Amino acid sequence: MARQEQILLLDPPHELKFRGPFTDVVTANLKLSNPTDRNVCFKVKTTAPRRYCVRPNSGVIDAGTSINVSVMLQPFDYDPNEKSKHKFMVQSMLAPPDMGDMEGVWKEAKPEELMDSKLRCVFEMPSDSDKTHDGESNKVLSSSLLKSESSLPKSASASLDDGEVKKIMDECKRLQLEVQRLREENRQFREDDGLRRRKTASSSPPISAPASGGVLREEGLSTRVLAFCILFFVIGVIIGKLAL
């Protein structure tokens, strides 16, 4: 008894085209559509199973739906003089009402219940016009990048990512606030000390006032030196990173 005609609709129907270069995995997509009112079991076979990875390679397509199958060709040394002899076969059958284990269903299927479609594999390399178009696109992209870089200062074109620049700016702002806080504390300390000296001027020895003023000046000077050292350190770090 002759086999039934394939009820699944294949897109593409006869050829799977793989477009080079073939130095990396190349994927071709196969769409399987079920136009019937019955669920259909399918599986995909190939004459070169070690050269391809198929996902999914089997399953059930519900009534009135479709599924996309990815056929991944593994990298290989392409010879334009060698014609591809690889072929694929999509096998299908109507899913039984009491369907259980998929493997068991295929084993128990009768030959007249099976339907199949065959596809051949075609390897294509990019044409010269495609290469020229790609080259022109790359030139336009490179030109745009060069223009954008030339419009920036040299320090901005250094290899700093946005996250690193943000961290440096946040640290700089924090240190600026710290310097401002130290200045405010130093000013408040001088005001409080001046108020104390005015209150105790009548009872304090005349020689003690210059000594207290000297201590204040030394403390204020050390605070400023510390703040400026921290600020210069951050500026040095920023300049060092931008120069890399």
Side-chain angles (χ1 to χ4, degrees):
M1 184 175 178
R3 288 192 176 186
Q4 299 184 44
E5 186 178 351
Q6 177 68 271
I7 58 174
L8 293 179
L9 300 178
L10 279 63
D11 182 22
H14 306 297
E15 293 181 344
L16 285 176
K17 293 185 179 181
F18 298 89
R19 189 175 180 82
F22 301 101
T23 55
D24 202 354
V25 175
V26 180
T27 302
N29 294 313
L30 174 63
K31 183 178 181 181
L32 304 179
S33 301
N34 178 10
T36 69
D37 57 356
R38 293 272 306 273
N39 293 348
V40 176
C41 302
F42 79 94
K43 61 180 176 180
V44 182
K45 297 181 178 181
T46 178
T47 57
R50 295 184 179 181
R51 300 286 298 274
Y52 298 90
C53 181
V54 182
R55 292 291 182 273
N57 58 6
S58 63
V60 178
I61 305 176
D62 294 335
T65 64
S66 60
I67 190 170
N68 289 319
V69 177
S70 296
V71 182
M72 291 162 278
L73 172 64
Q74 304 305 304
F76 72 102
D77 295 328
Y78 175 70
D79 184 0
N81 297 321
E82 181 181 353
K83 293 185 178 181
S84 172
K85 297 180 180 179
H86 302 168
K87 294 181 180 180
F88 276 83
M89 181 174 68
V90 178
Q91 205 167 31
S92 64
M93 61 176 292
L94 294 174
D98 55 346
M99 182 174 170
D101 178 45
M102 176 73 68
E103 201 169 323
V105 169
W106 285 105
K107 286 182 178 179
E108 297 174 1
K110 299 177 181 179
E112 59 270 15
E113 295 176 341
L114 301 178
M115 299 164 280
D116 59 66
S117 298
K118 295 181 181 179
L119 302 94
R120 69 187 188 95
C121 298
V122 177
F123 300 153
E124 294 181 344
M125 290 296 290
S127 62
D128 293 337
S129 59
D130 292 337
K131 291 180 181 178
T132 302
H133 181 268
D134 293 341
E136 291 177 353
S137 300
N138 291 334
K139 287 181 180 179
V140 172
L141 180 59
S142 300
S143 177
S144 301
L145 290 174
L146 288 174
K147 287 181 181 179
S148 63
E149 287 183 358
S150 62
S151 64
L152 296 173
K154 290 183 179 180
S155 59
S157 61
S159 57
L160 282 177
D161 56 18
D162 294 339
E164 193 171 0
V165 172
K166 186 176 183 301
K167 288 181 181 179
I168 294 175
M169 296 302 295
D170 291 342
E171 183 67 14
C172 186
K173 290 179 182 178
R174 187 186 68 80
L175 289 174
Q176 286 177 348
L177 292 175
E178 184 69 15
V179 170
Q180 186 177 357
R181 185 184 65 82
L182 290 174
R183 286 178 179 173
E184 185 66 23
E185 288 182 356
N186 191 27
R187 184 184 63 80
Q188 187 66 35
F189 183 76
R190 287 200 304 268
E191 291 179 356
D192 293 345
D193 187 75
L195 182 61
R196 285 196 302 270
R197 281 191 296 167
R198 285 194 296 271
K199 288 181 179 180
T200 59
S202 58
S203 60
S204 298
I207 197 171
S208 62
S212 177
V215 172
L216 286 175
R217 284 195 296 274
E218 291 178 359
E219 291 179 353
L221 180 62
S222 63
T223 302
R224 289 197 188 100
V225 170
L226 176 61
F228 282 120
C229 287
I230 294 174
L231 184 59
F232 289 147
F233 173 76
V234 173
I235 294 174
V237 170
I238 295 174
I239 294 174
K241 285 183 174 292
L242 293 176
L244 291 177

